Amino acid sequence: PKSLTITATPVNKTYGTALTSGAGYSGFNAVGLVSGEVAGTVTVTYVAGAAGNENVGVYNNAIQLSSLTGGSGGFDANNYNINYTDASITVTPKSLSISGVGANNKPYDGNSDATISGTAALVGVEFGDDCTLNTSGATAAFASINVSNNIQVNFSGYALSGTKAGNYTLNQPSSVNANIEPKALTITANSVNKTYGDVLVSGAGATAFTASGLVAGETIASITLTYGGAAAATAGVGPAVPGSIVPSAPVSGVGFLSSNYTIAFVSGTITVTPRALSIAATPVNKVYGDVLTNGTGYTGFTATGLQNGETAGTVTVAYGAGANATDPVGTTLAGVAISALTGGTINPANY
């Protein structure tokens, strides 16, 4: 007889999977066959590691072969001295999943933190095994911090406990989505006191506003302000005009995206205050003996500070020392006193 070695093929199996012994096994290598001959099948006996509840590990010599039968190409077992070589079984961990886990929607808050919802349960534990789910370190995070629907939520920190936990690996929950919803933000235009005649120019780049509701650390660089009503230079002094400063179009600053917010714009007010107007009497030269007459309708003055092309009308004049015909030659300071501006195109209340 010729020497023939039949060697079993090592087996990797997942924890919980049973192996069945029996005849008709062909998972082996045959070394020493005469050319053209083919060995048939053997009987396989699985020892340690064959049962479904064998712990994870390597079990040497756990696959034992015997009783080679059959074959082809003229093979006859009687022509050989047959040596059977055992092989090992490697038990690998079984993969477990988690069911029942979700995540809550949340308003935008500038971070990816997610709140876990539902009740987590292990899926796939073999019957009777001491293997439980430890949720104490579980956390969840959105894949994006910005407002959107159906954002992927990633989980971590779920772990296994129990005497049989080493026979398993754990997959963190997957295929969970949730929404980050816009946060309420109020942008209020600052109210303005302006002097009659000043012009307020509408446009972008304005910084006269307050923002309530921004996430910490975010800023708005500027907004657009539109002035109406009392913003025109011709608007007169009067009560504050509500809604006369209209804010819009915030511009990104540090970390700010307008799409992360539901923005309410609150208009500001414009209050027009009087402008200083100087009415200066014109000095008078008179000849000794001439008489100066007090009265209204006097136009001998200059007006400094008029706005919008307005004109001053007349004033009342009162002459002091030097008005009489007998007053001597000389200069009288403050000898021309004026008051009571009337007429013209101005509204004195604006000054």
Side-chain angles (χ1 to χ4, degrees), residues 59-304:
Y59 297 85
N60 294 319
N61 303 316
I63 305 174
Q64 299 175 354
L65 306 180
S66 62
S67 306
L68 176 63
T69 60
S72 61
F75 175 79
D76 184 344
N78 293 321
N79 290 326
Y80 294 91
N81 284 326
I82 303 174
N83 299 306
Y84 295 97
T85 303
D86 300 339
S88 63
I89 296 174
T90 300
V91 181
T92 59
K94 181 179 181 181
S95 179
L96 301 181
S97 60
I98 300 172
S99 67
V101 172
N104 294 332
N105 298 335
K106 72 167 185 175
Y108 172 71
D109 58 7
N111 63 60
S112 62
D113 296 345
T115 300
I116 299 173
S117 64
T119 301
L122 273 178
V123 177
V125 175
E126 294 295 319
F127 179 78
D129 272 4
D130 176 20
C131 181
T132 58
L133 182 63
N134 183 343
T135 63
S136 61
T139 60
F142 286 92
S144 168
I145 68 170
N146 294 318
V147 168
S148 185
N149 292 329
N150 296 318
I151 303 171
Q152 178 181 328
V153 178
N154 299 315
F155 294 83
S156 62
Y158 286 101
L160 298 175
S161 298
T163 58
K164 290 289 187 177
N167 291 321
Y168 298 94
T169 59
L170 179 63
N171 295 319
Q172 301 295 313
S174 61
S175 301
V176 175
N177 297 320
N179 304 334
I180 296 180
E181 300 160 343
K183 186 179 188 296
L185 172 65
T186 300
I187 295 178
T188 303
N190 293 350
S191 294
V192 171
N193 287 345
K194 74 150 193 163
T195 302
Y196 173 71
D198 288 346
V199 177
L200 300 176
V201 179
S202 300
T207 57
F209 67 92
T210 58
S212 176
L214 278 175
V215 166
E218 294 187 0
T219 62
I220 298 175
S222 64
I223 64 172
T224 295
L225 290 179
T226 302
Y227 299 100
T234 55
V237 171
V241 183
S244 53
I245 308 176
V246 180
S248 62
V251 176
S252 296
V254 176
F256 172 77
L257 289 176
S258 60
S259 57
N260 286 329
Y261 294 89
T262 299
I263 304 175
F265 293 100
V266 178
S267 298
T269 62
I270 297 174
T271 302
V272 182
T273 59
R275 177 173 289 275
L277 176 62
S278 175
I279 303 295
T282 303
V284 173
N285 289 336
K286 76 155 194 159
V287 178
Y288 175 75
D290 290 346
V291 177
L292 302 176
T293 304
N294 296 335
T296 59
Y298 180 72
T299 59
F301 61 87
T302 57
T304 302

Side-chain angles (χ1 to χ4, degrees), residues 279 295-301 303 311-317 338-346 348:
I279 303 295
T296 59
Y298 180 72
T299 59
F301 61 87
T311 61
T314 62
V315 296
T316 296
V317 65
I338 54 177
S339 61
L341 176 65
T342 59
T345 61
I346 72 167

